[in-house]
Amino acid sequence: MEFSQVRVYHPFVGPFDPCPPILTKTYQTPVQLFIPFQPPNLPQFNPQEALFKGTLWPALYSPYESKWGKEQ
């Protein structure tokens, strides 16, 4: 199951907007939108990794990726 969770759109930029326009915006969609029911025989993380990642199934794992890079 390969799909992109990141969606891109281009908002309207008016001619009299007082701020510099942001021409491209992105947002994340939850994995549950693409898997409406649990298919049989999905691969599973081992229990320790599942607790760390917050889900038992790799198909439902969605890591948080900051727009500003890694924090120090």
Side-chain angles (χ1 to χ4, degrees):
M1 297 181 167
E2 290 296 320
F3 52 86
S4 176
Q5 297 176 13
V6 178
R7 299 288 189 242
V8 178
Y9 70 99
H10 307 286
F12 173 76
V13 178
F16 302 110
D17 286 344
C19 299
I22 299 174
L23 301 177
T24 303
K25 292 190 176 190
T26 61
Y27 63 97
Q28 294 249 347
T29 55
V31 181
Q32 294 84 346
L33 292 176
F34 306 105
I35 304 177
F37 60 92
Q38 181 179 338
N41 302 321
L42 274 179
Q44 296 181 353
F45 289 126
N46 63 49
Q48 183 178 5
E49 191 174 5
L51 286 172
F52 178 75
K53 294 190 174 186
T55 184
L56 184 59
W57 298 280
L60 295 177
Y61 177 62
S62 178
Y64 175 75
E65 297 170 6
S66 175
K67 292 180 183 181
W68 298 281
K70 293 187 176 190
E71 302 242 352
Q72 301 204 10

